[in-house]
Each structure stands twice: as C-alpha cells, then as structure tokens.
Amino acid sequence: MTEATRRERLRAETEREIRQAARTLLVTQGREAVTLRAIARELGITAPALYRYYASHEDLLRQLCDDICQDMSRELQTHLAGISSDQVREQVRAVCHGFRAWALAHPQEFSLVFASPIDALAPGDQFGSVFLEVAAQLIASHPAPEHDHDDVPSALHGDLAAFQDVLIRAVASHGCEVSAAELSLGAIYQIVQSWVRLYGHVALEVFGRFPFAVSNPEPMFDRMVDQMLSDIGFRD
Amino acid sequence: MTEATRRERLRAETEREIRQAARTLLVTQGREAVTLRAIARELGITAPALYRYYASHEDLLRQLCDDICQDMSRELQTHLAGISSDQVREQVRAVCHGFRAWALAHPQEFSLVFASPIDALAPGDQFGSVFLEVAAQLIASHPAPEHDHDDVPSALHGDLAAFQDVLIRAVASHGCEVSAAELSLGAIYQIVQSWVRLYGHVALEVFGRFPFAVSNPEPMFDRMVDQMLSDIGFRD
DNA sequence: ACGGTTCAGTGAACGGTGTTTACAAAGTTG
DNA sequence: CAACTTTGTAAACACCGTTCACTGAACCGT
C-alpha cells in the first residue's frame, strides 16, 4: 500500500494534528494565543514533545503559514473553477473578490502571513503566486491586450524576464501552454501593478488603515478591480 | 516660565526617556525585544515602575506608534519644504519617495505601525494623513484636474464627502483654504486610490512580498508614481 | 516648620512563555 | 531476546506581563 512505514504515518498524522490545533488557536484566539504549551494542551501532550516535530516555535509558525497559503490557494482555485474559461474578466473578478473575502474572513491568518517582515516564509510558492498564476493564464488566453513593450522601465527588464520565465513554467504545470510573446514584459508589468493595488486595498481594509472610515468598502473594491481590468486592457 | 510644576516636568521627562528607550530597542533588536523589563533596565529602573506611566505594555506600544507617526510626518514635511510650492508633481514625488525611504530605513517601525490589525492606534491622525493632507493641498492648489464627478460609485458619496470635510479642515489648519468645489469627490477618490497604490508598493517591498525578487525596486516605484500622477490628472 | 497626602520606585510573588536536559517507556529491527 | 531509535515526560532555567504591599521622598495647606 503506502510506502511509508507505520511510524512515519503516525508521525505525519501527529504533525497534522499539531498544525490543526495551532490553526484553531490562531483563528479563535489570535496570534498571541498560538503558544507551544497551548497547542500541546490541545492534544494532551507536554510542550517539549513538540520539539520532536518542529525545531522551534518560529519554525512551527513558518510551516503554519505554508498551510494557510495552500488552503487559500485551493479556495481561490475552487472559486475559479465555477466560471467558464472564456469569461476572462469574470475570472479575474472571482480571484480578486475571493482574495479579499478570504482576507476579511481570516484576518488572523492574513495578518500572520503579511505581518512578518522577512523571516517567516520562502517568497516563491506563496499566496501571491495564486493570483499571479491566474492572471498570467488569463492574459495568455486573451486576444493579446497589446502592451507597449517599451513602456516598462528598462531597468526592470531583467527582473521581469526572470519572472516571465517563472510564470510561463507555472502556467505550463497547470496544463496550459503560453509563449513569451503572448505573455509580454508589458503584460507582466501590468500583472505586478495589479497585485500592488489588490494587495494594497485588501491590506488597508484588513488592517483598518484607510484614511477615513469606509462604511461599505465593497463598491470601492469593485470599482478598483474594474479599473485594473481596464488598465490591463480587458474591455470585452 | 513654564506652567508645569517641577513634578510634571520630571514626569514628562521620564515619559520621554521611556519611549526613547523603547524606540531604540525596537530599532536595534526588533519588535519582540521591546519588553517592559528591557526598557526599565535601559534606564536603571525596575519594570513595575513603568506602570506609573503606562497602563500596560500594549498601551506603551500604542503611544510609541504615535511617536513614530509624528516623527515620520515631520520628516515628510521637511522633504516637502525644500520644494517650491508651484512644482506640484515634484511635491507629490517628494512625499511618495519620502514615505518609501522612511519605510525602508525604519522597517521595524513600519511593521509595528502597519502590522497590528485594529488594536494599536486611532485611525484619525496617523501616518496616512500626512500623505493625504499633502495630496489634498496639492490638488486644491492645482489648476483643477477636472474629474468626472459621477465616475465614483454613488455608494461611496457619503464616505467621500465626510472625508472631504476632514481634508478641507486639515488643509485649512495648515493655513491654506480650499473649497469643496476645488476638492471634488472625484479628486478625493483619486487620492484614496493613490494611497492604495503607494501603500501597496511600499508594504510589499518592506515585507518582501513581491512575487519575484526585484533586484532594484526603485525604477518600478518611480514608474508607479508617474502613473499615479498621470491618473490623477497632473501632466504639466 | 510641621503633618498629611501624593507619588515614584522597589522587591517579592504569580502564572505564563520558549527552550534545554536527563531520563523513561514504548516501538522497531537485527 | 538484545540493541537501538523514536516519542514523550518531568524538572529546571531564564524570561515575560502584571499585581501588591511597602518605602522614601517630594509636595502642600496650615
């Protein structure tokens, strides 16, 4: 059956339970409550036992971040699956609204993932990548929004080209093939700019840092997404 | 001379020393190191003594945030003072670059102010207000960028009008008078959108959450600010 | 100048935290 | 069965925020 030995299965199981307990604590009582002793208490164990599974408290939190991002990713993909693939704008809207909804529904998780300056996670396969992959896929499948290739600062060409490579490979691993020509540097630049605005709005809303009390931020968000779509070149 | 009694002066002095010590700890050793005992140790005092000045650790952090925002505000105002007031775009650029430079130079402070979900500060007189006041001032003093008043979602009219009021009063308190007509709802909306983008870029850069390793983010930032200016309607 | 009051600061204590260490009890394997 | 690895424990360490009873000095009205 499984290649793993009995011991390895048990270990993996416990590891899952630990992170599940940590997750529950995070959601129900906030970041401060995610303590080794509390986690251990949850599964009827003593705190030092956790060191058999994680090198430190920080290490556990880091891995918890990975779990969270993976879950969010899956949720966004689910939202996306319900929309026919030729309705490009609706797909972008779904991802953006899904991201915002997730952030507002899981502020603790969002804060954890976005509040730690550098130390917590590997930058590669993270939350953003979901949005970005989707964006790349959509732009690639779109009738070529025609961006001025020279419109992006030449100092960025190197970075953008590298990112272009990553995106093309990521999209390919999802089954869809795109060429560098279809996903131009200009398009990549637009994607990154969209990410800046999407992230900016959501973070400001979650952190309550809008300059005034926005009684109903949703129409503002809708308007911004529409503007983004129009800036990218999607006017169907 | 001073209205304050000797006792009040000593108290204010100590209060300042406490926050100074807290600030130093934050900058040199990170948020986690800002502990009551460490602060007390810094000024040759025991931890419980701090409770004569602040109700709790959280309260101290909250007031520290205020200090930080005030400092940043002063720094931005300084940058601004060096530019003749008729060079509108240069003033906006100065504020944006100043904000980014401050955030990158003080990542710990930035994280503290931007990482705490709701509990840490009053939303009114905060960091953002500096940028927003400046923006309002500039837009008001500009030859009317002519925004479509109807371009903003009607659901936002209430909030925007309230914010318009705040901004007009804030600008007035800085000596400059503007009317509601000069600072239209469309303009306000543009200001808020600019704040979203500015904050989004800076936070992503400080938190290292750009989707790819940006070897040199400055040209990207410059490009974004230019785009913002053009979107607002400043093309001088 | 004195006596009461206010106030800054102390030291001890409580319950909590992450982490290390030595040790016991299982499970695994030859 | 014996040797070994893995998993968990208990005790301890140093640190944390916070409370409480207490001291000593500064202030203030008389």
Side-chain angles (χ1 to χ4, degrees):
Chain A
M1 288 282 172
T2 60
E3 282 294 335
T5 74
R6 173 183 140 82
R7 231 184 203 161
E8 278 164 337
R9 270 184 293 113
L10 282 184
R11 185 180 176 82
E13 172 75 12
T14 311
E15 220 159 318
R16 251 200 47 247
E17 282 178 23
I18 291 173
R19 288 196 274 194
Q20 179 53 48
R23 189 77 174 273
T24 303
L25 283 168
L26 175 66
V27 171
T28 60
Q29 288 166 253
R31 173 177 192 159
E32 306 287 290
V34 186
T35 156
L36 291 185
R37 284 183 161 89
I39 296 169
R41 204 177 305 129
E42 213 79 6
L43 17 159
I45 268 179
T46 61
L50 296 175
Y51 281 82
R52 301 289 173 193
Y53 300 89
Y54 299 94
S56 69
H57 183 230
E58 191 187 333
D59 182 44
L60 198 159
L61 280 185
R62 186 168 21 244
Q63 301 216 31
L64 189 60
C65 279
D66 290 351
D67 274 21
I68 291 171
C69 294
Q70 211 171 320
D71 280 17
M72 185 201 69
S73 164
R74 257 196 292 269
E75 192 176 314
L76 289 191
Q77 299 283 6
T78 304
H79 287 186
L80 205 55
I83 301 170
S84 120
S85 64
D86 55 353
Q87 296 188 279
V88 191
R89 301 178 73 199
E90 287 314 311
Q91 292 211 347
V92 174
R93 284 204 188 89
V95 172
C96 292
H97 281 93
F99 181 66
R100 172 172 176 267
W102 178 87
L104 292 176
H106 307 74
Q108 301 287 355
E109 281 101 323
F110 182 85
S111 297
L112 177 64
V113 174
F114 283 84
S116 20
I118 312 171
D119 49 319
L121 359 80
D125 352 357
Q126 289 304 333
F127 52 88
S129 64
V130 184
F131 168 74
L132 297 160
E133 268 184 42
V134 170
Q137 220 164 330
L138 298 181
I139 289 197
S141 69
H142 187 78
E146 290 289 340
H147 289 108
D148 328 1
H149 205 92
D150 339 295
D151 208 24
V152 335
S154 62
L156 284 178
H157 275 42
D159 287 332
L160 287 176
F163 185 45
Q164 180 185 45
D165 219 48
V166 173
L167 276 186
I168 289 177
R169 247 193 293 274
V171 173
S173 84
H174 278 230
C176 191
E177 300 279 344
V178 297
S179 71
E182 290 168 310
L183 198 55
S184 69
L185 290 191
I188 303 269
Y189 180 76
Q190 284 297 334
I191 293 177
V192 175
Q193 283 305 301
S194 299
W195 170 239
V196 167
R197 294 169 79 171
L198 177 62
Y199 168 79
H201 179 108
V202 170
L204 283 174
E205 200 175 333
V206 170
F207 291 151
R209 294 291 191 279
F210 267 115
F212 56 104
V214 185
S215 60
N216 182 17
E218 188 139 359
M220 194 162 119
F221 186 73
D222 292 345
R223 179 76 178 72
M224 188 192 70
V225 173
D226 283 350
Q227 188 66 51
M228 265 170 48
L229 280 165
S230 144
D231 286 352
I232 294 180
F234 285 134
R235 332 167 192 263
D236 54 18
Chain B
M1 290 284 169
T2 60
E3 281 296 335
T5 75
R6 175 183 138 84
R7 233 184 201 160
E8 278 165 337
R9 269 184 292 113
L10 283 184
R11 185 180 176 84
E13 172 75 11
T14 312
E15 221 159 314
R16 251 201 44 247
E17 282 177 23
I18 292 174
R19 288 197 273 195
Q20 179 52 50
R23 189 77 172 272
T24 304
L25 283 167
L26 176 66
V27 171
T28 60
Q29 287 165 254
R31 172 178 192 157
E32 307 286 291
V34 185
T35 155
L36 290 185
R37 285 183 158 89
I39 296 170
R41 204 178 304 130
E42 212 79 6
L43 20 158
I45 268 179
T46 61
L50 296 175
Y51 282 82
R52 302 286 172 194
Y53 300 89
Y54 299 93
S56 68
H57 183 231
E58 191 187 333
D59 183 43
L60 197 159
L61 281 184
R62 185 168 22 241
Q63 301 216 33
L64 189 61
C65 279
D66 290 351
D67 274 22
I68 292 170
C69 293
Q70 211 170 319
D71 281 15
M72 185 200 69
S73 166
R74 258 196 290 269
E75 192 175 314
L76 289 191
Q77 299 282 6
T78 305
H79 287 187
L80 205 55
I83 301 170
S84 119
S85 64
D86 54 353
Q87 297 188 279
V88 191
R89 300 178 72 199
E90 287 314 311
Q91 292 212 348
V92 175
R93 283 205 188 89
V95 172
C96 292
H97 280 93
F99 181 66
R100 171 172 177 267
W102 178 88
L104 291 175
H106 307 74
Q108 301 286 355
E109 282 102 322
F110 182 86
S111 297
L112 177 63
V113 175
F114 284 85
S116 21
I118 312 171
D119 50 318
L121 359 79
D125 355 356
Q126 289 304 334
F127 53 90
S129 65
V130 183
F131 168 74
L132 297 160
E133 268 185 41
V134 170
Q137 222 164 330
L138 298 181
I139 289 197
S141 69
H142 189 77
E146 289 288 338
H147 288 109
D148 330 0
H149 205 92
D150 340 294
D151 208 26
V152 336
S154 61
L156 284 178
H157 274 43
D159 287 332
L160 287 175
F163 185 46
Q164 180 185 44
D165 219 47
V166 172
L167 276 187
I168 288 177
R169 248 194 291 274
V171 172
S173 83
H174 279 230
C176 192
E177 300 279 343
V178 298
S179 71
E182 289 169 312
L183 199 55
S184 69
L185 289 191
I188 303 270
Y189 179 76
Q190 284 296 334
I191 292 176
V192 175
Q193 284 305 300
S194 300
W195 170 239
V196 167
R197 293 169 79 172
L198 176 62
Y199 168 80
H201 179 107
V202 171
L204 283 174
E205 200 175 332
V206 170
F207 292 151
R209 295 291 192 277
F210 268 115
F212 56 103
V214 185
S215 60
N216 182 17
E218 188 140 359
M220 194 161 119
F221 186 74
D222 292 345
R223 180 77 178 73
M224 187 192 69
V225 173
D226 283 350
Q227 188 66 52
M228 264 170 49
L229 280 165
S230 144
D231 286 352
I232 294 180
F234 285 133
R235 332 169 191 263
D236 56 20

